Amino acid sequence: MNFSNLIIFVILMAGISSLNPVAVDTFLPAVPAIAQSLSVETSTIGVTLGIFTIGNAIGQITLGPMSDRFGRKPVVVLGLSLFIIAALFAPYCTNIETLSLTRLVQGIGGAAGRILSVAIVRDLYSHEKAARILSNIWTVSTIMPILNPFIGGFLLAYYSWTSVFVYMSSFGIVLILLAIFGFKETIREIDREALEFKSIAVNIKSIISNRTYIYYTLVGSLSVSSLYAFLSISPDLLITQLQQEPSTYAWQFAIVMCGSLIGSFISSQISIRLGINQIIGIGLAITTVAGSTSFILAYNGFFNPLTIIMPYFVQRIGENILTPQAMAGAVTPFPEKAGLASSILGCFRQLCGATVAILISYLSDGTPLSMATAFFLAGTVPATIFILSSLRNNKHQISNNK
């Protein structure tokens, strides 16, 4: 693949990977307006994020094996189709139940992007190269979460909340055209038994019994759970409780997402010189410090945009340093089952996120304490797993050298 084709490939994969950010981040500034329109509490709309994420989990555990059986391209097109249909239907929802169902379907479709981009990159590249390419894709796709709240805020300034779903459908239509006409199949060999129950059960067992896979999946999934805590109640905290405009929230959200962009860029650059575990260690050190800072501030009653945004900005840097490395490390042992391995990883990650989003929305008391607690745990728990795993590996190395 020459340089120009590589650029086109990265942009296309980044666009597909941005389906979830488009569906979520454009939606966030509209949360208070949607809550008012549907006559529910603002925090209740946060639960729909959890519903969307559950749809994502369903999509990732089903679309991955489907891509192993039928190829990556047709499944990408299927996912985009579901995403577009749900976005077109959402403006006609008149209650929280139908909106939640629509978001569930949209979540299933949106899963095709991020999960299949990992499998597609793994089809074409091996271990360290795959991590570097994924870091580049993450860097490009992180631009969308920065832009999306501004787009949502702009649409709300001139149109109703339904306009954000028109934007989502338009974004999906552009991508489905690119996928149909600008993307060639990457899978080398179709797995004709990929959808057979016995085969799936055997493959799942072989994947989830792999210590390397479990390690990278836990570290990556638990670290990124903080994002779902932020997404679920930050509109309530920053717009409703602190009485800010959606346009102000867009700027604050952009700052957080700049942290994601910086982290992805750093990850792509240092992956040339450092190993996967070294980079993950750097990312976890940052997330642990930032998450602890958020918790200390919230516990002591600090509640303003600065004490919410700045520590989480730093935490996002750490999370995006380690995320592409953890994902590449997880799927590398399974080159012939990359689709299923990516699906299980993505499903677990999304279920963690959905659980956090729903719990934080339910437990929120109008202060940032519940969110900050999630930030703290998202930093310290995977860091503990990393330390224990490193100690275990060092012990084995010492034993082997004797």
Side-chain angles (χ1 to χ4, degrees):
M1 186 180 295
N2 60 41
F3 182 74
S4 60
N5 287 337
L6 178 61
I7 294 297
I8 294 172
F9 173 77
V10 169
I11 292 174
L12 179 58
M13 290 299 100
I16 296 172
S17 297
S18 298
L19 286 175
N20 287 344
V22 167
V24 173
D25 303 337
T26 313
F27 177 83
L28 294 178
V31 164
I34 296 172
Q36 183 178 12
S37 175
L38 301 184
S39 301
V40 297
E41 295 292 329
T42 303
S43 59
T44 302
I45 300 297
V47 175
T48 66
L49 171 65
I51 300 298
F52 176 90
T53 308
I54 290 172
N56 240 220
I58 295 171
Q60 295 197 38
I61 200 64
T62 55
L63 296 180
M66 287 177 65
S67 75
D68 287 337
R69 172 62 181 85
F70 300 110
R72 313 299 186 207
K73 182 171 181 175
V75 179
V76 168
V77 172
L78 172 63
L80 285 168
S81 299
L82 291 175
F83 183 90
I84 294 167
I85 292 170
L88 291 173
F89 182 79
Y92 299 98
C93 294
T94 57
N95 55 61
I96 190 68
E97 291 80 14
T98 54
L99 180 62
S100 296
L101 180 60
T102 301
R103 294 289 277 174
L104 179 73
V105 174
Q106 191 175 35
I108 294 173
R114 178 59 66 93
I115 199 65
L116 290 183
S117 67
V118 175
I120 289 167
V121 170
R122 187 59 190 83
D123 288 340
L124 299 173
Y125 304 101
S126 61
H127 203 51
E128 304 292 344
K129 180 70 171 178
R132 188 154 60 249
I133 294 295
L134 283 172
S135 294
N136 290 329
I137 291 172
W138 267 220
T139 300
V140 176
S141 64
T142 303
I143 296 173
M144 291 307 298
I146 296 174
L147 295 177
N148 287 328
F150 289 104
I151 294 172
F154 174 81
L155 292 171
L156 287 171
Y158 295 97
Y159 308 100
S160 71
W161 63 267
T162 60
S163 61
V164 300
F165 288 100
V166 175
Y167 164 69
M168 293 178 203
S169 62
S170 301
F171 185 85
I173 289 169
V174 171
L175 283 180
I176 201 170
L177 292 175
L178 288 174
I180 291 172
F181 298 108
F183 173 61
K184 294 181 180 180
E185 183 59 61
T186 60
I187 194 169
R188 293 183 176 88
E189 184 177 352
I190 294 294
D191 183 358
R192 299 190 181 280
E193 298 181 350
L195 294 179
E196 293 182 6
F197 178 79
K198 183 177 180 180
S199 176
I200 292 176
V202 170
N203 288 338
I204 288 177
K205 183 179 179 181
S206 69
I207 291 170
I208 64 175
S209 62
N210 184 284
R211 286 183 178 271
T212 299
Y213 183 83
I214 293 172
Y215 163 71
Y216 285 119
T217 297
L218 284 175
V219 169
S221 300
L222 295 176
S223 295
V224 82
S225 66
S226 69
L227 177 62
Y228 297 90
F230 180 79
L231 295 176
S232 64
I233 65 168
S234 63
D236 181 44
L237 296 177
L238 294 169
I239 299 177
T240 304
Q241 302 299 330
L242 294 179
Q243 298 181 343
Q244 297 185 121
E245 294 295 325
S247 58
T248 303
Y249 174 80
W251 280 104
Q252 293 163 348
F253 191 89
I255 292 172
V256 170
M257 290 302 107
C258 281
S260 302
L261 182 61
I262 292 169
S264 295
F265 177 76
I266 292 173
S267 184
S268 67
Q269 295 304 303
I270 64 178
S271 64
I272 300 172
R273 298 182 296 275
L274 301 178
I276 283 180
N277 286 329
Q278 290 176 293
I279 299 172
I280 289 175
I282 293 170
L284 288 173
I286 295 172
T287 59
T288 299
V289 172
S292 300
T293 301
S294 291
F295 179 76
I296 292 170
L297 289 170
Y299 184 79
N300 286 281
F302 290 94
F303 184 12
N304 59 67
L306 184 64
T307 58
I308 293 174
I309 297 301
M310 293 314 297
Y312 193 55
F313 163 79
V314 177
Q315 189 154 355
R316 286 302 293 165
I317 293 176
E319 288 170 1
N320 276 265
I321 287 175
L322 70 91
T323 296
Q325 310 299 327
M327 295 186 75
V331 301
T332 293
F334 308 100
E336 296 179 357
K337 304 182 185 73
L340 181 59
S342 298
S343 292
I344 298 171
L345 186 157
C347 181
F348 183 77
R349 171 176 163 159
Q350 297 298 338
L351 287 176
C352 284
T355 301
V356 169
I358 293 172
L359 282 176
I360 296 301
S361 296
Y362 178 75
L363 296 174
S364 177
D365 59 356
T367 74
L369 184 58
S370 60
M371 181 177 69
T373 302
F375 292 172
F376 173 73
L377 294 175
T380 56
V381 174
T384 302
I385 294 172
F386 175 80
I387 292 170
L388 293 176
S389 177
S390 297
L391 290 174
R392 179 179 178 275
N393 290 337
N394 289 338
K395 184 179 179 180
H396 282 182
Q397 288 179 358
I398 293 173
S399 298
N400 291 334
N401 291 334
K402 288 183 178 180

